[in-house]
């Protein structure tokens, strides 16, 4: 298993980016603007280990002019992410320990589970996605992540 990133939702991407770069000395490692999903992801790493990233997620204002989501204290931190060698084996192992697979790896690439304290954990398959397989391919989402 390899630790990948922690995700934080932000309302002011520029201000938070400046805080991380100018204030903390992190470096921007990559950026993705997703017009279809109406969000921007920007990743930052410390100069000594840039591969362990902080992801800022900026959800664009609603197209209909509605107010932006109020993340409160519980929604601004999103999840921890780990790269795994075999997402199916790990999910099966977690299930055997009584862990609910909130977002099953239907695509062979990504799953979400939650810690006992309800912190979301994203599991990402190392390399390319595995071929879809049961019971994961037809398993519905459970709860939220």
């Amino acid at each position: 298993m390899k630790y990948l990133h922690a995700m934080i939702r932000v309302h002011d991407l520029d201000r938070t980016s400046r805080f991380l770069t100018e204030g903390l000395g992190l470096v921007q490692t990559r950026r993705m603007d997703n017009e279809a999903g109406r969000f921007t992801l920007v990743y930052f790493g410390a100069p000594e280990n840039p591969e362990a990233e902080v992801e800022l997620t900026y959800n664009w204002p609603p197209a209909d002019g509605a107010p932006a989501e109020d993340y409160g204290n519980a929604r601004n931190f999103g999840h921890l992410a780990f790269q795994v060698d075999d997402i199916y084996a790990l999910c099966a192992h977690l299930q055997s320990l009584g862990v609910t697979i909130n977002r099953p790896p239907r695509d062979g690439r990504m799953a979400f589970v939650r810690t006992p304290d309800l912190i979301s954990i994203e599991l990402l398959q190392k390399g390319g996605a595995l071929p879809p397989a049961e019971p994961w391919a037809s398993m519905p989402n459970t709860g939220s992540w």
Side-chain angles (χ1 to χ4, degrees):
M1 181 179 294
K2 177 183 176 183
Y3 174 78
L4 295 177
H5 66 263
M7 185 270 270
I8 302 170
R9 289 182 178 88
V10 299
H11 285 293
D12 189 331
L13 182 60
D14 293 335
R15 186 173 174 202
T16 304
S17 294
R18 277 193 309 278
F19 169 80
L20 293 178
T21 56
E22 295 173 19
L24 297 180
L26 301 183
V27 294
Q28 182 176 320
T29 56
R30 55 197 167 110
R31 179 188 179 113
M32 182 186 79
D33 295 303
N34 186 310
E35 298 225 7
R38 299 186 51 74
F39 64 87
T40 298
L41 306 178
V42 184
Y43 295 83
F44 298 86
E48 290 187 32
N49 63 331
E51 70 282 355
E53 297 171 312
V54 173
E55 170 194 323
L56 298 184
T57 296
Y58 172 68
N59 294 308
W60 300 358
D64 63 4
E69 179 182 354
D70 178 10
Y71 301 134
N73 291 330
R75 290 280 300 145
N76 55 346
F77 176 79
H79 61 264
L80 299 176
F82 293 92
Q83 182 181 70
V84 301
D85 290 329
D86 184 333
I87 197 164
Y88 295 146
L90 182 58
C91 285
H93 172 69
L94 290 169
Q95 273 190 322
S96 77
L97 298 175
V99 174
T100 299
I101 308 301
N102 300 98
R103 195 282 192 190
R106 289 183 294 276
D107 56 4
R109 177 174 152 47
M110 177 180 65
F112 275 89
V113 297
R114 295 184 90 169
T115 71
D117 293 310
L118 305 179
I119 302 297
S120 291
I121 305 292
E122 179 181 20
L123 305 172
L124 293 167
Q125 175 62 42
K126 184 177 182 178
L130 299 178
E134 294 298 340
W136 316 110
S138 59
M139 186 181 288
N141 293 339
T142 302
S144 62
W145 59 89

